[in-house]
Amino acid sequence: KNNEKAHEEYQKVWALYLKFKLEVSKAYWENGELFFKESVEDNISEKVKETKLKEALSNYKNAYLYCPADDVEVSEWIIDSIIRAFKFLDGNSERANAFIQYQRYVNTGDNSPITTTQKSISNPLAEF
């Protein structure tokens, strides 16, 4: 029930268990889900909603980067959450669709640049 304490506890997981990529990925995803849940609460301002959604996307991005490429289930959770958060943040599907195109060319758990000749593909998570 104490969201601030929960966010702090997730930060401890990232610091203490950095070598356990799947667990770190799940912790980032769960923290993103908590921020997302906070963003849809009643009686919050549009500014707070936007801030919470950006925090969620930042956590989802880290979850995406830490997720081992062979863990399809967790990758799907993260991808679905990123798409949902973009839709809520933007009110449309433009960046969500850009992310769908982007993730086809990038492996989760791989921080290397995109290896494609399609220069039109950009990372919609770059700002998060």
Side-chain angles (χ1 to χ4, degrees), residues 12-37:
K12 289 178 187 176
V13 171
W14 307 323
L16 295 173
Y17 302 105
L18 198 55
K19 292 182 183 180
F20 299 94
K21 293 201 178 281
L22 180 60
E23 288 74 16
V24 170
S25 178
K26 286 179 179 179
Y28 272 117
W29 177 77
E30 290 171 2
N31 198 42
E33 289 293 282
L34 182 57
F35 276 117
F36 184 84
K37 179 182 167 196

Side-chain angles (χ1 to χ4, degrees), residues 21 63 80 98 120:
K21 293 201 178 281
D80 289 345
S120 64

Side-chain angles (χ1 to χ4, degrees), residues 82-100:
I82 291 169
I83 293 167
R84 179 191 64 203
F86 272 135
K87 287 179 180 179
F88 272 77
L89 180 64
D90 296 340
N92 64 48
S93 298
E94 189 174 323
R95 277 200 287 190
N97 291 338
F99 177 74
I100 291 168

Side-chain angles (χ1 to χ4, degrees), residues 22-77:
L22 180 60
E23 288 74 16
V24 170
S25 178
K26 286 179 179 179
Y28 272 117
W29 177 77
E30 290 171 2
N31 198 42
E33 289 293 282
L34 182 57
F35 276 117
F36 184 84
K37 179 182 167 196
E38 292 171 2
S39 79
V40 295
E41 290 177 356
D42 293 333
N43 301 322
I44 63 169
S45 70
E46 285 299 314
K47 183 70 174 165
V48 171
K49 177 181 179 176
E50 180 180 339
T51 300
K52 297 289 184 182
L53 285 168
K54 287 181 177 181
E55 287 288 345
L57 280 162
S58 179
N59 278 270
Y60 296 148
K61 174 184 176 180
N62 286 325
Y64 186 72
L65 293 173
Y66 275 97
C67 188
D70 62 347
D71 198 312
V72 176
E73 181 181 14
V74 175
S75 294
E76 286 178 2
W77 298 348

